Amino acid sequence: MGEENMKTKKPFNAKLFYRRTCLIIYDIISVILASYVALLMRYNFEMVEIPDYFINPINRFLPINIAITLVVLYLFRMYNSLWAFAGETELQNLVMASVCSSILQAVGIQFFKVPGQQAVPGSYYFLYTFLLISFIFCSRFSYRFFRGLKHKKQNKNNNISVMVIGAGEAANAIIKEIVNSNFSTMVIRCIIDDDGGKWGKFIQGIKVVGGRDRIIECADTFSIDEIIVAMPSASRAEISAILDICKETSCKLRSLPGMYQLVNGEVSVSKLRDVEVEDLLGRDPIEVDIDSILGYVKGKRVLVTGGGGSIGSELCRQIAGHRPELLIVFDIYENCVYDVQQELMMKYPELKLEVLIGSVRNTNRMNWIFETYKPEIVYHAAAHKHVPLMEQSPNEAIKNNVFGTWKTAQAAAMNGAKRFVMISTDKAVNPTNIMGASKRICEMIIQTFNKHYDTEFVAVRFGNVLGSNGSVIPLFKKQILAGGPVTVTHPDIIRYFMTIPEAVSLVLQAGAYCKGGEIFVLDMGKPVKILDLAKNLIRLSGYRVGEDIQIEFTGLRPGEKLYEELLMDEEGLTETANKLIHIGKPIEIDEMKFFVQLKELKEATKNEEDDIRPLVQAIVPTYHYAQSDAQK
């Protein structure tokens, strides 16, 4: 037992003991000085003018006053705080301790006064309180003052000059942390804000030099290396406009993720992130009706095919957050799906999760999964999506996309699934590549199935998603990291873009709207030139286009369009409760002919025929391809 106590006993800290002893001695002197200086101030420092019946009670009560004050200071943690980091709380405690000491002194002196005489003048207590606060403040906050001087001296050696845009609460928190940190390698040179009332004023000693029109000038004047955009409450359009100016400076750009950090008090340097190209899209994040999603996913058994991919994994994340009864993640690639499994297990420990490996092309595997787990809602995201690769392997695109969808949809229908949501693409509209054509056939399959089964079959069609596997942004980043060149297929090529979470949240809400047979079309906003994306990403990385990093045009790849369409001409369009989700009118299909054509296509791919494109075109008349692209 004694041995255990020796192990847990705190070692004597000589440095701490010395500091506290010094503070106690200082406080004793402070009480003495405050007691007599307050009386001297009351009588204009004329000692002879002070009556004995005023000074005698103070003399008699002084030892007790010292003891009481030390106890009060101890109770208010004046000997336990880390004064090098003192802030508002410590200041409040200091003031309260001094006021309490004064009140107790006022009461105590009454017992030592001459009977029938006033103990001390009334103004004495106010002067005593003021002096005691001042003396104690000087002792405690001098730690922070000298620490600040030390940091400023160290800061002269920091080699990252920073400009902060925004002079609000978020900027104040960021600047305060950088200025006071012993470990920061940044030094704030100036602040930019469009509010003219703040110009010429200072935050943490840093001057607000002007509005956004001075960003480029000040970046040059102050030799700025990095710009921090601290405007979490600003709209995406406003942020985009400011970033358009900033990217001309060749400075590295960083920003706070959003308003919620300010609300939750989470504003700090650690929350800063590099500005990404999606920040330049110039629109606010898409919002969805979370309640409608929660209502139809909660308590359901949900299957996500292709759950390890970009869209599939984000589907799993958002579904997991809406408390399903069971989430089944299915994919053929074990490495990606393993990462998703570990992430979900860590973030949602109570989630009932099944992670399965297999191919949607395997009929027996799909049937077993549906018979065993009986999923009620299916999100079919498994597909080959890479356009140039599918142009080289069209048979594989058809086997996986078309007949993988067929087998998954049939297993869902035969096992009582309530909803089947297929992820489609804008490339299915007037396709010029085998991937887009295969997705159009998938849409035809699920619309046909919807007529013959109780399961509600729908498709959701959208364009490119930023950061997804195979998308252009990760490729550009790798090329920039390698020193260039950045390759763009054509100077005029445009695409619709949306972030992965935005696209998936709209997919989930479209699933909540479905009645069966619809092709939901997501509003992707305005199209973006790929060349502009490349230029912006180069600038955001701190390089100059054409000087540090070159852009090369490689020509359109096989099956690639200059622009994509989201809706076929003959489909028409109707609105939903969400203005960003529309419904395309189903196209009439000759089912008997369609099934015969699918059978022929299946045999052709099974036999590995050299060119199945004419068969695909017979099924999808809007599919057009260059004859020179056909496999020979």
Side-chain angles (χ1 to χ4, degrees), residues 369-380:
I369 290 171
F370 277 90
E371 290 169 3
T372 303
Y373 296 101
K374 298 292 182 183
E376 300 166 87
I377 301 172
V378 180
Y379 289 97
H380 181 53

Side-chain angles (χ1 to χ4, degrees), residues 164 169-179 188 228 230 256 267-272:
V164 174
E169 290 294 333
N172 179 59
I174 292 293
I175 294 168
K176 183 178 180 181
E177 183 173 351
I178 292 173
V179 168
I188 310 294
I228 295 175
L256 285 170
V267 175
S268 68
V269 173
S270 63
K271 296 293 180 182
L272 291 173

Side-chain angles (χ1 to χ4, degrees), residues 6-36:
M6 289 183 65
K7 288 182 180 178
T8 58
K9 187 178 180 181
K10 293 182 179 179
F12 177 73
N13 190 327
K15 189 175 182 180
L16 180 61
F17 176 78
Y18 173 76
R19 284 182 178 177
R20 286 181 177 174
T21 302
C22 290
L23 283 176
I24 290 171
I25 294 172
Y26 178 91
D27 291 339
I28 292 172
I29 296 172
S30 297
V31 172
I32 296 171
L33 287 175
S35 298
Y36 292 115

Side-chain angles (χ1 to χ4, degrees), residues 292-302 318-320 322-325 377 379 508:
S292 67
I293 298 173
L294 181 63
Y296 89 97
V297 171
K298 182 181 178 182
K300 300 292 195 305
R301 297 182 300 278
V302 184
Q318 295 197 26
I319 292 169
H322 293 135
R323 293 183 288 174
E325 177 189 329
I377 301 172
Y379 289 97
L508 288 170

Side-chain angles (χ1 to χ4, degrees), residues 263-283:
V263 174
N264 293 343
E266 298 177 4
V267 175
S268 68
V269 173
S270 63
K271 296 293 180 182
L272 291 173
R273 61 170 175 81
D274 290 346
V275 171
E276 300 287 353
V277 71
E278 51 261 40
D279 294 313
L280 296 170
L281 293 182
R283 60 172 174 78

Side-chain angles (χ1 to χ4, degrees), residues 458-461 510 513-514 518-522 576 581-584:
V458 298
V460 182
R461 185 190 291 165
Y513 291 155
C514 80
E518 301 99 334
I519 295 179
F520 290 98
V521 181
L522 305 188
T576 67
I581 303 175
H582 307 278
I583 301 175

Side-chain angles (χ1 to χ4, degrees), residues 160-163 186 224-229 243 246-247 249-255 272-275 538-543:
I160 301 178
S161 296
V162 176
M163 172 193 293
M186 297 182 286
I224 299 299
D225 302 305
E226 188 168 307
I227 297 175
I228 295 175
V229 181
L243 292 178
C246 293
K247 69 187 182 185
T249 65
S250 298
C251 298
K252 183 178 180 179
L253 304 182
R254 301 176 77 188
S255 72
L272 291 173
R273 61 170 175 81
D274 290 346
V275 171
I538 291 171
R539 288 166 179 152
L540 290 177
S541 301
Y543 299 107

Side-chain angles (χ1 to χ4, degrees), residues 225-354:
D225 302 305
E226 188 168 307
I227 297 175
I228 295 175
V229 181
M231 301 170 59
S233 60
S235 67
R236 276 292 182 92
E238 186 177 0
I239 293 291
S240 177
I242 289 174
L243 292 178
D244 279 336
I245 300 173
C246 293
K247 69 187 182 185
E248 301 298 329
T249 65
S250 298
C251 298
K252 183 178 180 179
L253 304 182
R254 301 176 77 188
S255 72
L256 285 170
M259 183 62 190
Y260 74 92
Q261 272 82 10
L262 183 60
V263 174
N264 293 343
E266 298 177 4
V267 175
S268 68
V269 173
S270 63
K271 296 293 180 182
L272 291 173
R273 61 170 175 81
D274 290 346
V275 171
E276 300 287 353
V277 71
E278 51 261 40
D279 294 313
L280 296 170
L281 293 182
R283 60 172 174 78
D284 292 326
I286 292 172
E287 297 181 357
V288 300
D289 180 5
I290 297 298
D291 291 335
S292 67
I293 298 173
L294 181 63
Y296 89 97
V297 171
K298 182 181 178 182
K300 300 292 195 305
R301 297 182 300 278
V302 184
L303 167 66
V304 179
T305 69
S310 303
I311 298 298
S313 61
E314 183 62 26
L315 274 167
C316 293
R317 292 183 192 99
Q318 295 197 26
I319 292 169
H322 293 135
R323 293 183 288 174
E325 177 189 329
L326 171 66
L327 175 59
I328 309 155
V329 185
F330 181 73
D331 202 293
I332 195 170
Y333 186 42
E334 73 276 13
N335 290 341
C336 286
V337 83
Y338 172 78
D339 291 338
V340 175
Q341 179 191 42
Q342 297 305 306
E343 178 185 343
L344 295 179
M345 288 171 61
M346 183 177 297
K347 192 172 183 181
Y348 304 100
E350 297 181 1
L351 173 68
K352 189 176 179 183
L353 179 67
E354 290 288 345

